[in-house]
Amino acid sequence: GDSFELCKNCIDCGFSSVMIDGSHLPYEENVALTKQVVDYAHQHDVTVEGELGVLAGVEDEVSSDHHTYTDPEEVIDFATRTGCDSLAISIGTSHGAYKFTPAQCTRNAEGKLVPPPLAFDVLDAVMEKLPGFPIVLHGSSSVPQEEVDTINMFGGKLPDAIGIPEEQLREASKSAVCKINIDSDSRLAMTAAVRRVFAEKPAEFDPRKYLGPARDNMEKLYRHKIVNVLGSAGKA
């Protein structure tokens, strides 16, 4: 949530953790808002994730056309003054399926877009300032090109959609990063499967016949991420 009232409602409804995003605010206002949420949440044994640094892209109809890396010099002060239990940082990830413009990317020998690398130097500096502190990455979908290609093949229009390379997420998962947020990938997997059914079976109108394949495709994606990317299999 982006307000105390929204997080309070979630806490009062029984959530065991909340995330307060004050990253769009000036630093001192972000500190004050995050601390307000922490003070209330901790009275109810609820953990709080704060956010420092701005991610570009669109998330829940809130958009930003730029990103601002987290300043490692601020993280100790922020974590200490707010009392947050984990911290989402900005190191170049971005919301949505269009994380980077073609101008921000290079092209490989096949002519495919290659996004700019994540700022692991910023992550390393944050970990040095806050050793052992749980770090979170938002906007970390990889935008699987096979799903994008399927969507485009069957009538979709997702030109130049590109995400975070999985090898970079593997590297991040071996650090203090304990939570990586992925959403667009599952939307793409679901949409690709539904579009395929509608294209190959245009007479189909039973939701079970197209939502079933969509569910299976999403499960395949989740298993791949858990086992081959995040390294979290068997750790629940």
Side-chain angles (χ1 to χ4, degrees):
D2 59 1
S3 70
F4 170 76
E5 290 73 20
L6 183 54
C7 288
K8 180 180 182 298
N9 288 340
C10 290
I11 295 166
D12 293 343
C13 287
F15 280 73
S16 60
S17 66
V18 295
M19 185 269 168
I20 176 63
D21 183 3
S23 62
H24 58 289
L25 300 171
Y27 179 76
E28 288 297 332
E29 292 181 29
N30 187 4
V31 169
L33 174 60
T34 304
K35 185 177 187 306
Q36 183 183 20
V37 172
V38 169
D39 288 346
Y40 186 80
H42 284 183
Q43 295 177 38
H44 299 79
D45 295 324
V46 172
T47 58
V48 178
E49 175 187 323
E51 184 165 353
L52 190 59
V54 179
L55 271 65
V58 179
E59 178 187 38
D60 297 331
E61 301 180 358
V62 178
S63 65
S64 175
D65 58 4
H66 72 285
H67 69 257
T68 303
Y69 289 153
T70 300
D71 184 351
E73 296 301 322
E74 294 178 340
V75 296
I76 295 177
D77 180 74
F78 186 86
T80 301
R81 290 172 60 190
T82 65
C84 64
D85 303 286
S86 61
L87 181 63
I89 65 172
S90 172
I91 61 170
T93 55
S94 181
H95 297 298
Y98 294 94
K99 300 183 185 300
F100 309 101
T101 65
Q104 293 174 296
C105 303
T106 58
R107 291 188 183 272
N108 61 18
E110 300 174 348
K112 295 184 178 180
L113 292 176
V114 178
L118 297 181
F120 281 100
D121 57 327
V122 174
L123 174 58
D124 290 341
V126 169
M127 291 191 298
E128 182 178 343
K129 297 289 185 180
L130 293 175
F133 198 83
I135 301 299
V136 178
L137 294 184
H138 291 186
S140 297
S141 285
S142 299
V143 188
Q145 288 306 296
E146 63 270 21
E147 306 296 359
V148 173
D149 291 344
T150 298
I151 291 171
N152 291 336
M153 182 190 310
F154 294 116
K157 191 175 182 180
L158 293 174
D160 296 329
I162 190 169
I164 308 299
E166 290 187 339
E167 60 267 22
Q168 295 190 41
L169 297 179
R170 284 191 199 95
E171 182 177 347
S173 69
K174 297 174 183 177
S175 68
V177 174
C178 64
K179 175 174 165 234
I180 295 179
N181 287 9
I182 296 169
D183 177 30
S184 295
D185 287 355
S186 57
R187 299 187 190 192
L188 291 167
M190 182 173 190
T191 300
V194 171
R195 279 191 174 274
R196 179 181 290 277
V197 172
F198 284 167
E200 295 179 346
K201 301 177 181 179
E204 188 58 71
F205 65 91
D206 185 342
R208 293 170 294 182
K209 297 298 178 63
Y210 54 83
L211 293 181
R215 180 191 60 221
D216 293 343
N217 204 34
M218 292 170 73
E219 180 181 345
K220 177 183 175 183
L221 171 77
Y222 297 145
R223 288 183 179 275
H224 166 68
K225 294 289 186 180
I226 290 170
V227 175
N228 300 318
V229 181
L230 306 180
S232 53
K235 295 184 178 180

